[in-house]
Amino acid sequence: MAIAKAARMAGDLETEERFIRKAESLKELVQEKLWDQQAGFFKVVPLESPKHREFFRC
């Protein structure tokens, strides 16, 4: 969101909107892929894990 705010301050509304969409998409992915409802917190996925590569393929 910092880039979106900086773009807004510079009057670049197109860049602001693009980075708002990116931030919203990232938030959705993190909540969808990493939230563990049963445990009640976000999972940690080690960098070496195949699940890590799967997550960042999205």
Side-chain angles (χ1 to χ4, degrees), residues 2 6-8 18-19 22 26 36 45 57-58:
R8 180 174 17 121
R18 189 171 84 237
F19 278 92
K22 285 179 178 262
L26 180 59
D36 185 331
V45 180
R57 215 181 331 209
C58 297

Side-chain angles (χ1 to χ4, degrees), residues 3-40:
I3 295 173
K5 288 179 183 179
R8 180 174 17 121
M9 290 172 64
D12 186 347
L13 302 181
E14 184 179 321
T15 299
E16 175 191 17
E17 183 59 35
R18 189 171 84 237
F19 278 92
I20 287 172
R21 285 192 310 270
K22 285 179 178 262
E24 289 170 350
S25 176
L26 180 59
K27 178 182 176 180
E28 288 174 17
L29 280 171
V30 167
Q31 290 175 339
E32 173 190 329
K33 302 274 186 177
L34 298 180
W35 179 250
D36 185 331
Q37 183 68 35
Q38 191 172 18

